[in-house]
Amino acid sequence: MSWESFWYMGGYAAYVWPAYGVTALVLAANLVWPVWQRKQLFRQLAIKQKRAQSK
């Protein structure tokens, strides 16, 4: 088996590689999204806390 045949995937490369790409994007989003949401939550809580203290 040569590298060329590996990349070509027996003619199915047009379907296989995009599927790998989508899977990688979903996995990355599952790692990044909760971190981003947590930061947003802490920002919103800090804003609410500042408003409550200024009243």
Side-chain angles (χ1 to χ4, degrees), residues 4-52:
E4 187 175 308
S5 64
F6 173 76
W7 291 111
Y8 187 60
M9 297 258 176
Y12 295 103
Y15 305 103
V16 173
W17 291 114
Y20 283 154
V22 169
T23 301
L25 286 173
V26 169
L27 289 174
N30 280 332
L31 293 172
V32 172
W33 187 259
V35 174
W36 180 77
Q37 282 186 323
R38 184 176 183 212
K39 286 182 182 180
Q40 289 293 103
L41 175 65
F42 285 139
R43 285 184 193 138
Q44 290 173 358
L45 290 174
I47 290 170
K48 287 182 180 181
Q49 189 176 19
K50 285 180 184 177
R51 286 181 185 162

